[in-house]
C-alpha cells in the first residue's frame, strides 16, 4: 500500500473510484509479500504489482468488476509447481489477494492515514477480508498505538479489542499479517480473517565510524528502506556532505549516543548496528552497550581477524559475557570476496538480510527445495 499511496490519494482526492488488490497471504515461493498492492485506476491504468507480472491481468479484470459491483472479493492464485503456468502464477507459489473498491465514501480515513505515514507516525489498518456474515466484509479499524486512538469498528467490541491488541504487536515488529478469529473475534475460533497493514516507521540502521566504508553502507541501507544514522565523535569527518545518503549525521561519542537512544526507547527489534571504527577507544565501549541491548536485530563490527581477537579480549576484560559476545557478527559481513567499500557494503547488507529471513548465505543454485523460507 505504501508504494502506491501517492497515486491512490490523487484519485481519492479527485472523487474517483479505484480498484485495489492487495496480497494478504502467501505460501511457498510467492513473488510478492503480504501488503503488496496494485491499483486499477478510473482510466483503467495500473499502478503497482501483486505478483511481479504473473497474475496481474486477472487482478486487473477483477478490480474493474469490484469497482462496478462495490462488493470486495478474496481470491487465491496458484495451486502447485506443476500447475503454475496453467493458473497464471509462474513461480509455483500461492497468493491470497483481497480486492476492494476505494473511494471517498468507502475509505474516508485515507487522507488522515497518508498524513500519519508522511509524518512517520506508527499506524495499523485492520480490514475484515473474510466472514460468514457478508455485512462484516470490508469493515476496518485504524489503530494509533501512540495515542491509543482507534477509528472505526470491526463489528463488535470483542472483535475490536482482539484486533487492536494483535495489530499493536504487529506494529512492534513492522510485519503485515492475516489474522484468524471466530466470527465475533474469538481467539481460538475460525471464520473471520482480518488483514493488518502495520505501517511502522522505517527500521533504523546505526552506522558508527565516519569512514569511506560507512558512506557505502549508508547508501545501501537507505536503498533497503532503513532510516540511516551515521555517528562519529570527530566533527571534521562526520558531515552531511560526506554522507548524503544518511538521514542524519551525528557528532557524538558513539557509546554515549547509543546509550541516549536506548534510554529514549528509540531502538527496537528491527534496529541494525554496524561498527566500522575498528579503533578500540571507540568500538569497545560502544560494543559494551550494543551487545547488552535487550533487543536489536543485528550487531556487526568491522576489522581483520587480528582486530577481532584483540577486540574480543578487551570486551571480555570489560566484563562482556560469552552469551553477549555470541551476538556479535565479526568480522562483519558474508564471505563475498569483497574489496571495495561498495562491495563490502553489499556483504554487510547480505548478512543482515540473511539474519532477518533465516537465509544460509549459500548460492541458491546449490540449495534444494523452495527459494523463500517460510
Amino acid at each position: 500500500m505504501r508504494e502506491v499511496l501517492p497515486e491512490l490519494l490523487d484519485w481519492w482526492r479527485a472523487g474517483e473510484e479505484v480498484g485495489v488488490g492487495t496480497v494478504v497471504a502467501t505460501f511457498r515461493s510467492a513473488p510478492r509479500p503480504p501488503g503488496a498492492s496494485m491499483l486499477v485506476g478510473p482510466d483503467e491504468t495500473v499502478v503497482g504489482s501483486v505478483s511481479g507480472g504473473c497474475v496481474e491481468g486477472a487482478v486487473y479484470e477483477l478490480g474493474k468488476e469490484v469497482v462496478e459491483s462495490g462488493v470486495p472479493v478474496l481470491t487465491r492464485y496458484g495451486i502447485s509447481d506443476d500447475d503454475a503456468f496453467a493458473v497464471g502464477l509462474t513461480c509455483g507459489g500461492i497468493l491470497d489477494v483481497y480486492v476492494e473498491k476505494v473511494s471517498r465514501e468507502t475509505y474516508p480515513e485515507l487522507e488522515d492515514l497518508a498524513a500519519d505515514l508522511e509524518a512517520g507516525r506508527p499506524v495499523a489498518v485492520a480490514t475484515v477480508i473474510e466472514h460468514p456474515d457478508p455485512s462484516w466484509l470490508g469493515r476496518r479499524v485504524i489503530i494509533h498505538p501512540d495515542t491509543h486512538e482507534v477509528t472505526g469498528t470491526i463489528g463488535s467490541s470483542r472483535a475490536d479489542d482482539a484486533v487492536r491488541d494483535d495489530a499493536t504487536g504487529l506494529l512492534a515488529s513492522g510485519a503485515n499479517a492475516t489474522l484468524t478469529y471466530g466470527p465475533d473475534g474469538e481467539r481460538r475460533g475460525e471464520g473471520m480473517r482480518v488483514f493488518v497493514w502495520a505501517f511502522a516507521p522505517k527500521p533504523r540502521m546505526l552506522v558508527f565510524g565516519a569512514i569511506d566504508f560507512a558512506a557505502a553502507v549508508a547508501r545501501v541501507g537507505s536503498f533497503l528502506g532503513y532510516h540511516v544514522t551515521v555517528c562519529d565523535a570527530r566533527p571534521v569527518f562526520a558531515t552531511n556532505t560526506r554522507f548524503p545518503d544518511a538521514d542524519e549525521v551525528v557528532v557524538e561519542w558513539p557509546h554515549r549516543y547509543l546509550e541516549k537512544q536506548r534510554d529514549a526507547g528509540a531502538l527496537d527489534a528491527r534496529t541494525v548496528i554496524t561498527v566500522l571504527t575498528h579503533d578500540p577507544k571507540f568500538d569497545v565501549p560502544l560494543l559494551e552497550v550494543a551487545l547488552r541491548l535487550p533487543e536489536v536485530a543485528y550487531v556487526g563490527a568491522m576489522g581483520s581477524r587480528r582486530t577481532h581477537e584483540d577486540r574480543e579480549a578487551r570486551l571480555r576484560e570489560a566484563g562482556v559475557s560469552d552469551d553477549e559476545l555470541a551476538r556479535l557478527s565479526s568480522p562483519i559481513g558474508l564471505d563475498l570476496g569483497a574489496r571495495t567499500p561498495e562491495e563490502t557494503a553489499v556483504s554487510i547488507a547480505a548478512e543482515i538480510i540473511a539474519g532477518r529471513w533465516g537465509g544460509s548465505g549459500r548460492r541458491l543454485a546449490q540449495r534444494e527445495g523452495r527459494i523463500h523460507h517460510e
Side-chain angles (χ1 to χ4, degrees), residues 62-358:
L62 185 56
K64 292 195 297 182
E65 294 174 12
V66 167
V67 168
E68 182 67 25
S69 69
V71 179
V73 174
L74 176 66
T75 188
R76 176 166 290 185
Y77 296 99
I79 299 174
S80 70
D81 290 338
D82 293 339
D83 299 329
F85 284 98
V87 300
L89 201 60
T90 56
C91 66
I94 299 173
L95 295 175
D96 283 352
V97 179
Y98 176 73
V99 185
E100 62 182 324
K101 179 175 76 172
V102 170
S103 65
R104 283 181 172 271
E105 180 180 354
T106 66
Y107 209 141
E109 312 92 347
L110 186 64
E111 191 158 42
D112 290 338
L113 173 64
D116 287 328
L117 300 188
E118 179 67 23
R121 292 186 289 267
V123 59
V125 180
T127 305
V128 179
I129 60 173
E130 188 173 41
H131 198 281
D133 182 348
S135 68
W136 284 51
L137 198 60
R139 292 182 181 177
R140 69 172 56 86
V141 292
I142 299 178
I143 301 108
H144 298 84
D146 290 349
T147 62
H148 305 289
E149 177 186 356
V150 177
T151 303
T153 181
I154 291 294
S156 71
S157 59
R158 178 177 186 172
D160 289 347
D161 289 345
V163 170
R164 182 193 63 237
D165 291 344
D166 292 340
T168 301
L170 288 171
L171 272 170
S173 62
N176 302 323
T178 293
L179 309 175
T180 301
Y181 305 93
D184 194 41
E186 299 91 337
R187 289 285 185 180
R188 297 183 180 275
E190 294 184 355
M192 178 171 69
R193 296 173 71 197
V194 177
F195 180 69
V196 179
W197 276 288
F199 295 109
K202 289 182 178 181
R204 298 192 66 189
M205 173 180 281
L206 306 182
V207 182
F208 293 100
I211 61 176
D212 50 355
F213 287 90
V217 170
R219 188 156 56 249
V220 172
S222 179
F223 174 74
L224 291 176
Y226 286 93
H227 179 96
V228 180
T229 300
V230 175
C231 176
D232 196 294
R234 302 165 297 178
V236 68
F237 295 113
T239 66
N240 291 313
T241 302
R242 296 189 69 230
F243 300 98
D245 296 292
D247 294 283
E248 55 183 346
V249 180
V250 176
V251 179
E252 174 72 276
W253 275 83
H255 71 285
R256 292 174 184 165
Y257 175 75
L258 189 59
E259 287 173 337
K260 291 176 183 177
Q261 296 302 296
R262 177 200 63 197
D263 295 344
L267 311 175
D268 61 27
R270 301 175 299 150
T271 301
V272 299
I273 298 172
T274 63
V275 180
L276 311 181
T277 51
H278 51 79
D279 182 335
K281 69 175 177 290
F282 291 119
D283 59 13
V284 170
L286 170 61
L287 288 169
E288 282 187 67
V289 178
L291 295 175
R292 288 168 173 159
L293 292 171
E295 52 178 24
V296 291
Y298 175 86
V299 180
M302 177 177 282
S304 66
R305 300 277 181 198
R306 180 178 297 177
T307 298
H308 167 69
E309 291 171 1
D310 176 70
R311 178 193 296 131
E312 191 174 63
R314 291 173 183 268
L315 288 168
R316 290 184 189 280
E317 290 176 4
V320 177
S321 70
D322 289 343
D323 288 343
E324 290 165 344
L325 281 171
R327 302 178 64 192
L328 177 62
S329 294
S330 175
I332 197 170
L334 294 186
D335 180 15
L336 305 183
R339 293 292 186 271
T340 68
E342 290 73 20
E343 291 172 346
T344 301
V346 171
S347 166
I348 295 169
E351 184 175 40
I352 291 170
I353 294 168
R356 179 182 181 186
W357 298 111

